[in-house]
């Protein structure tokens, strides 16, 4: 509309246009801010005659060490992030190399890394979580068994307190090997009991055959410990399969204000 048309137009039309514009703006602001770019939500918004209820994406929190973080330039191609992509989850990862339930990190990382319990308050204050996958403990295996089980028990109890409704899955700490290390069966039994107390679930990589009849060296970086890109893709596949088997494929975020 040109300026000359405005001068010639009916004033009442301008007033009506202003009213419609204000009303439309009110509807837009009532919907709340848009979700961040690249985030998809599997929970649908619901509305009532009184208000529109916002929703958020179904969200996973992975907690762990260098395996979980991905090393060797893996970055967003780590198995945790691949699983989230395939499951349609928003992905949060709290993972620091060389750490564990008790281990603060290698000497060269001291002051930079910290053990899982020391990071928990930050995680509670920062992350939504409909599923929490605990993938840690590899760096604690030299600790006396009773001490390690006690630390895992305390940590998982604190997790449940922080996220009362989240699905908790604990992965038994293993390296890329089909063989059991000393006390493996005792550790599995202890973790099973800990998970049961908080309504959690356990994934046992040895029992589930993650590393049986596969070419392990082809899936590791030069240190022969951590997974490379092929290994991360492989682990994402078995993890997705097993998490779906545990029923997490249908996980959705709760509706309503968060």
């Amino acid at each position: 509309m040109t300026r000359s048309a405005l001068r010639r137009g009916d004033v009442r039309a301008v007033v009506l246009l202003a009213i419609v514009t204000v009303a439309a703006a009110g509807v837009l602001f009532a919907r709340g801010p848009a979700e961040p770019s690249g985030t998809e939500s599997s929970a649908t918004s619901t509305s009532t005659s009184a208000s529109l209820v916002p929703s958020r994406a179904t969200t996973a929190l992975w907690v762990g060490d260098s395996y979980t973080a991905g090393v060797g330039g893996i970055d967003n191609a780590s198995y945790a992030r691949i699983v989230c992509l395939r499951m349609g989850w928003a992905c949060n990862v709290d993972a620091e190399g060389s750490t564990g339930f008790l281990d603060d990190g290698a000497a060269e990382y001291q002051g930079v890394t910290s053990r899982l319990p020391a990071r928990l308050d930050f995680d509670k204050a920062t992350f939504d979580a409909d599923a929490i996958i605990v993938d840690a403990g590899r760096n604690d295996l030299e600790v006396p068994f009773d001490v390690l089980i006690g630390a895992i028990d305390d940590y998982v109890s604190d997790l449940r307190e922080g996220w009362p409704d989240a699905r908790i899955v604990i992965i038994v700490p293993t390296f890329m090997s089909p063989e059991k290390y000393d006390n493996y069966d005792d550790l599995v039994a202890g973790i099973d009991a800990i998970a049961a107390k908080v309504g959690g679930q356990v994934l046992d990589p040895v029992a589930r055959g993650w590393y049986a009849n596969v070419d392990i060296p082809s899936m590791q970086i030069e240190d022969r410990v951590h997974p490379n890109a092929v290994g991360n893709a492989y682990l994402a596949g078995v993890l997705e399969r097993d998490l779906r088997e545990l029923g997490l494929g249908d996980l959705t975020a709760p509706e309503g204000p968060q």
Side-chain angles (χ1 to χ4, degrees):
M1 183 178 293
T2 65
R3 293 178 183 174
S4 59
L6 276 173
R7 285 197 295 269
R8 293 193 300 268
D10 190 340
V11 174
R12 289 175 298 176
V14 176
V15 173
L16 179 59
L17 177 61
I19 292 172
V20 171
T21 302
V22 171
V27 171
L28 288 173
F29 283 114
R31 293 182 184 274
E35 290 188 352
S37 174
T39 300
E40 298 179 358
S41 174
S42 59
T44 56
S45 296
T46 59
S47 63
T48 67
S49 58
S51 64
L52 294 170
V53 181
S55 64
R56 62 167 172 79
T58 303
T59 304
L61 170 61
W62 296 72
V63 186
D65 51 32
S66 56
Y67 257 65
T68 323
V71 299
I74 291 297
D75 299 324
N76 287 333
S78 67
Y79 57 82
R81 297 191 183 279
I82 296 172
V83 170
C84 286
L85 181 64
R86 293 178 178 175
M87 302 286 277
W89 295 341
C91 193
N92 295 310
V93 177
D94 168 17
E96 296 180 0
S98 299
T99 65
F101 298 100
L102 293 161
D103 199 324
D104 287 328
E108 61 268 29
Y109 301 145
Q110 292 298 312
V112 178
T113 58
S114 54
R115 60 196 181 96
L116 271 65
R119 288 149 35 197
L120 187 53
D121 284 345
F122 175 85
D123 289 348
K124 289 179 182 179
T126 306
F127 300 126
D128 290 320
D130 304 299
I132 302 173
I133 299 95
V134 182
D135 183 17
R138 298 175 186 86
N139 298 302
D140 298 316
L141 295 179
E142 300 301 319
V143 174
F145 175 79
D146 290 344
V147 175
L148 176 55
I149 283 294
I152 298 173
D153 191 5
D154 290 344
Y155 179 78
V156 172
S157 295
D158 286 344
L159 274 185
R160 175 53 76 209
E161 181 181 346
W163 291 274
D165 301 318
R167 297 284 294 272
I168 295 176
V169 178
I170 307 170
I171 301 174
V172 177
T174 53
F175 294 96
M176 298 184 75
S177 171
E179 303 299 326
K180 297 179 180 180
Y181 49 75
D182 291 344
N183 291 331
Y184 186 86
D185 289 335
D186 291 337
L187 189 59
V188 171
I191 292 174
D192 280 341
I194 290 167
K197 289 198 301 183
V198 299
Q201 296 165 291
V202 178
L203 288 179
D204 176 351
V206 174
R208 289 177 174 269
W210 287 10
Y211 303 114
N213 303 313
V214 295
D215 183 7
I216 294 174
S218 71
M219 298 192 295
Q220 294 174 315
I221 65 174
E222 292 79 5
D223 66 5
R224 295 298 177 225
V225 175
H226 295 89
N228 58 19
V230 174
N232 274 275
Y234 171 77
L235 286 171
V238 295
L239 270 163
E240 180 192 4
R241 177 200 68 197
D242 289 352
L243 289 171
R244 290 188 184 279
E245 184 179 312
L246 293 182
L248 274 72
D250 299 324
L251 189 65
T252 57
E255 295 179 345
Q258 305 300 319

